[in-house]
Structure formats: C-alpha cells, structure tokens
Amino acid sequence: MAGVDEMKCQEFVERTTDHLDGALSARDRERVLHHLDDCFGCEHHLDQVRATVLLAGALGSEPLRVSQEVRLLALHRSWARNVRT
Amino acid sequence: MTEVDIVALRRGDELAFRTLVAEVHSTLFRLAMIYSPSRAVAEETVQETWIAVLNGLDGFAGRASLRTWICRILVRVAQRRAGQETRDMPFDSSSAHEPGASAVPADAFVSSGPRAGRWVSVPYSWSFVPEDRALSQELVGEVGRAIGALPAQQREVITLRDVEGWSAAEVSELLEISPGNQRVLLHRARSRVRASLDHYLGMPPNPPYVDPIAA
C-alpha cells in the first residue's frame, strides 16, 4: 500500500490521540499501522505518548482530608435533619 | 463508578452520601484547582458545591449522570468565585487550534525533498522509564507539574481522561462539546505534556530549573 497514500511522520504525530481512542477511519487506521511497520521513530513517539498517559494515571487520587470529611458530614447531618422533618 | 442510590441520598442516608463523596472527591478537587488560586480556595469550592448538590437533589432529573451533574455545579461555583460568570464554555478554539502549534514542532521534520515529512532525527525510546522506579516517580511529579501549566480547557480534558480515567463520552457530556473537539483538546494537552517530559529527560542531572515550554 505504498505511494501517494502513505502517511508521513509529520502527519502521524497528529493522529496519535485519534489512534489510541480508536477514532480513526478504517482507511487511516491502515495507514497508521502500515507506517508504524516501517518507522521505529514513530513507534518510539507513540510509546512516549502511551507512557505520558500512564504516568498521568499514576498521579492517583487526591485524598479526602479528615477535616474536610468531618465538615461535610456535619453539613450533611444538618441538611438531612431538614429532609426528615 | 459504583451505583449510588439516589433514593437513599434523597432520604438523607449518610452512608450513601459518604460513598458518593468518596467516589467523586478526587475529580471535584482537581477540577476546582483549575479555577482556584490555592488549595484552600479549592477546598472551599468543593464544600460549597456539596451544599448546592444537597439542596438541588430534588431537582436532579437524571438526564446527565449524577457525577456529571455534580461536576457542572462545581465548575459554576468555581468560576463564580474566580469572577468569571459565564458557564457556557464554548469550545475554546484558541486553545485547541493554537496557530502554529503542532504536536511536535515542524522543524523536527524534513521540510522538503524526498524525505519531506519524516523525522530529522529519530525519537529515542523511553523504555528505561518503567524499569527505573525512582525515575518513574520523578516523572509522575513532572507530569503533574506540566498538567498544572496547561490552559484551562486542555487541563480539564487531560485531568478527566488520563488522570481520573473518565471516558471520552463522559468528558464530552460534561464539557458540552463534541467527542471530536474533546479529542482535539486532549491531543493538545498530551502533546505539551509529552514534550515537557521529553525535555526533562534530555536535561543533564541536577540542572538549574528552566521552564521547558515558553508560555
């Protein structure tokens, strides 16, 4: 599938998010996979994007501080009292 | 997300409320931080949001998911505190289609001739990252910093998608933009963060701190 339809690296780097979301057309997906077969530069680039996503996920959850939770529960209790009456 | 019992919530059930709070706290706090000058203000914004949520529970029609509804309230509260009145955040095209901003600068690619469009020099692999735990932790910190420096809409999308794990559909619904537009914002955000990491990894050990992305 060489020739005019071939994807170049400069186009590839703009399609990484679409590709990882499975949002490419069937044709573009073919072009991406075909390009990756031939281009370890772009394979590294895509791995870098994947690593970026994984590292972002590794930020974990923002914890709920005890003092915040205590305030929220007090808030909720007074609200709930009005609900039940 | 676990199914929160709306009936129990409306009844004033404390366990249902605590479950809901635990579920969404991280997302709420991180969204609040996008609009707040400090953690303290972000915490106040979250508290104020919960008051509005409890008072508005009866009016929750279930058209959007509960989580989306709560987050919309939070963004309104946060923006009001920050002095921005309009919630109707239209798709910010200036943030998504920054003129001249590509995922990778154009000069990384051959500009003309038979090799036009190909890498000038091939990107190196980051395969050492997962092996080196200390480096991994350092990079997580760097990613956090880079995300914090993004324009608001890009920061929202990458926080919800990649940090908090929301789906594309949920993010599109919350921000009231198309999945395509949501993806453009995510692409811009990930590109900046990747570039920031790339620069960081290219730095010699213990350099003086230099902002890798000129504002």
Side-chain angles (χ1 to χ4, degrees), chain A residues 72-84:
Chain A
L72 278 175
L73 290 178
L75 194 160
H76 180 262
R77 278 177 197 139
S78 68
W79 174 81
R81 265 197 297 275
N82 293 335
V83 161
R84 292 193 196 108

Side-chain angles (χ1 to χ4, degrees), chain A residues 6-18 20-21 23 35 38-42 44-45 47-49 51-65 67-69 71-73 75-77 79-80 83-84, chain B residues 9-14 17-18 21 25-26 29-30 39 43-44 47 50-51 54-55 57 102-104 106 109 116-119 122-126 136 139-140 143-144 147 161-163 168 183 186-188 190 193-194 197-198:
Chain A
E6 212 175 87
M7 185 176 282
K8 296 288 163 54
C9 312
Q10 194 164 14
E11 184 190 350
F12 175 80
V13 302
E14 297 306 336
R15 310 311 306 272
T16 55
T17 303
D18 291 337
L20 292 174
D21 263 8
H35 181 75
D38 276 334
C39 183
F40 58 84
C42 284
H44 290 170
H45 178 82
D47 281 345
Q48 289 179 10
V49 175
T52 303
V53 174
L54 285 173
L55 287 165
L59 277 163
S61 277
E62 191 64 44
L64 175 61
R65 297 194 304 111
S67 56
Q68 287 180 284
E69 190 174 17
R71 275 180 74 190
L72 278 175
L73 290 178
L75 194 160
H76 180 262
R77 278 177 197 139
W79 174 81
V83 161
R84 292 193 196 108
Chain B
L9 267 180
R10 284 185 167 131
R11 215 171 50 217
D13 184 280
E14 185 173 286
F17 179 67
R18 294 180 75 173
V21 169
H25 176 75
S26 186
F29 184 79
R30 283 182 167 139
R39 293 184 68 94
E43 283 182 10
E44 287 306 313
Q47 292 280 336
W50 283 115
I51 295 171
L54 290 173
N55 289 332
L57 258 185
S102 350
V104 176
F109 304 101
R118 296 200 164 267
W119 294 101
V122 166
Y124 52 90
S125 165
W126 288 359
S136 269
L139 291 181
V140 171
V143 167
I147 289 174
R161 287 288 314 263
D162 293 347
V163 181
R183 234 179 335 267
L186 181 61
H187 186 72
R188 292 276 160 257
R190 281 179 179 169
V193 175
R194 188 212 64 83
L197 284 175
D198 198 27

Side-chain angles (χ1 to χ4, degrees), chain B residues 1-140:
Chain B
M1 181 175 170
T2 55
E3 274 308 303
V4 173
D5 189 343
I6 306 250
V7 173
L9 267 180
R10 284 185 167 131
R11 215 171 50 217
D13 184 280
E14 185 173 286
L15 181 60
F17 179 67
R18 294 180 75 173
T19 304
L20 178 61
V21 169
E23 277 289 349
V24 300
H25 176 75
S26 186
T27 302
L28 286 184
F29 184 79
R30 283 182 167 139
L31 280 176
M33 283 296 287
I34 297 173
Y35 296 98
S36 309
S38 69
R39 293 184 68 94
V41 172
E43 283 182 10
E44 287 306 313
T45 300
V46 171
Q47 292 280 336
E48 199 183 316
T49 298
W50 283 115
I51 295 171
V53 165
L54 290 173
N55 289 332
L57 258 185
D58 275 347
F60 172 64
R63 270 190 304 271
S65 73
L66 184 60
R67 181 161 81 165
T68 298
W69 179 70
I70 293 171
C71 287
R72 282 193 187 146
I73 292 173
L74 178 124
V75 174
R76 273 197 292 269
V77 168
Q79 289 187 322
R80 199 176 54 235
R81 275 178 171 265
Q84 308 159 23
E85 287 307 319
T86 48
R87 164 50 192 153
D88 313 313
M89 243 158 95
F91 175 54
D92 181 0
S93 56
S94 67
S95 149
H97 299 288
E98 296 146 324
S102 350
V104 176
D107 62 10
F109 304 101
V110 176
S111 56
S112 60
R115 287 187 45 78
R118 296 200 164 267
W119 294 101
V120 169
S121 55
V122 166
Y124 52 90
S125 165
W126 288 359
S127 57
F128 55 87
V129 169
E131 271 111 54
D132 184 336
R133 277 203 58 185
L135 179 60
S136 269
Q137 276 315 301
E138 210 178 299
L139 291 181
V140 171

